[in-house]
Amino acid sequence: NNVAGFPLDEVIEPVPPPPIAWNTQETTVLDSLALVTRPSLRARRNDVAAAEAGIRIAESGWLPSIFAVGLYQYARPNPYIFPQADEFKGTWQVGVSARWDLWDWGQTYARRQQARARSQQHRELLADERRAVRFAVREQLLAVEHRRLAASVAEQGVAEAGAAYSAMQQRYDLGAALTTELLAAELAERTARLRHARALAAYGMAQAALWREVGYVLPQAEGTP
């Protein structure tokens, strides 16, 4: 309580330990999931798509620009009606205009090359991000496996220390062991449980870090908002 900053007389209820997946997870499955759900990769893919759209926009300079023009005039008198009369009349004007800047094709070519270079840059960044994600996922997967094995060893230590404490307590009840020996066995059993609890906590944090690298949000427990 003192280390955690809680009142010294507060009763702390320990939570159940996180479940341990004793079967190792497949690296290829996690890689595929990370490449789909990782937010940074989605952002990189959006950058590539925007750069590809920039190429199409730059290449639009090769084509002529076509405009549709419309005008409705309601006047008294209307100058577009002959003979003119002293009354309100409406007229429509509809037309199409086109412009093709042949002399600007040099600029269009330069803009297209610039857009292609930007697209290639974003593609390289996406490839680098994919490699970094694979490396991070596999590195964290090794950390999870290490913590899993450590939790397994700590669990075996709890079983051995518990058996030793139980045997020492029986010897103490029969008068064949000293009080100091019983207290030492009890301390060893409590220390083994502490190591096991710390190993479980380290495993849970490693597992959460793995899912963070994958880009997957763990579902909330039932009853939580």
Side-chain angles (χ1 to χ4, degrees):
N1 287 340
N2 187 29
V3 173
F6 299 139
L8 298 181
D9 57 347
E10 183 174 349
V11 178
I12 303 298
E13 295 293 338
V15 299
I20 295 181
W22 296 107
N23 296 327
T24 58
Q25 299 170 344
E26 296 184 4
T27 306
T28 55
V29 175
L30 292 178
D31 283 345
S32 301
L33 183 60
L35 294 179
V36 174
T37 60
R38 185 72 176 258
S40 59
L41 286 176
R42 290 203 299 267
R44 292 296 185 188
R45 286 193 290 267
N46 291 336
D47 292 339
V48 171
E52 294 291 337
I55 295 177
R56 293 191 294 271
I57 293 174
E59 291 178 344
S60 63
W62 300 114
L63 304 176
S65 300
I66 301 176
F67 307 93
V69 181
L71 173 64
Y72 177 76
Q73 183 168 352
Y74 185 70
R76 176 183 176 184
N78 194 321
Y80 294 100
I81 297 179
F82 296 95
Q84 295 184 356
D86 189 16
E87 58 181 322
F88 284 101
K89 289 187 177 182
T91 56
W92 279 98
Q93 294 183 17
V94 179
V96 177
S97 63
R99 186 182 64 188
W100 200 355
D101 297 329
L102 301 178
W103 301 108
D104 293 341
W105 279 6
Q107 296 182 4
T108 301
Y109 177 79
R111 286 194 293 266
R112 186 186 65 172
Q113 293 300 108
Q114 182 180 12
R116 286 184 173 180
R118 188 180 296 111
S119 176
Q120 184 64 28
Q121 178 185 9
H122 286 297
R123 287 183 179 276
E124 294 295 334
L125 291 175
L126 176 60
D128 291 341
E129 185 75 17
R130 290 169 68 93
R131 286 191 292 267
V133 167
R134 287 195 180 99
F135 177 79
V137 168
R138 296 181 183 185
E139 182 182 22
Q140 195 58 43
L141 185 60
L142 292 177
V144 170
E145 180 65 13
H146 173 72
R147 298 300 183 184
R148 184 185 70 84
L149 295 177
S152 177
V153 173
E155 186 177 3
Q156 295 176 3
V158 170
E160 294 174 358
Y165 175 64
S166 179
M168 184 61 67
Q169 193 169 20
Q170 293 178 2
R171 291 182 58 191
Y172 178 80
D173 294 339
L174 296 175
L178 300 176
T179 304
T180 55
E181 294 176 337
L182 179 62
L183 293 177
E186 182 182 4
L187 178 61
E189 194 266 345
R190 290 179 179 272
T191 303
R193 290 185 179 275
L194 177 60
R195 291 197 186 100
H196 185 225
R198 288 176 176 173
L200 289 177
Y203 171 81
M205 289 187 291
Q207 188 74 22
L210 174 62
W211 288 118
R212 181 190 61 189
E213 294 295 343
V214 172
Y216 177 73
V217 179
L218 292 176
Q220 294 182 344
E222 295 183 0
T224 58

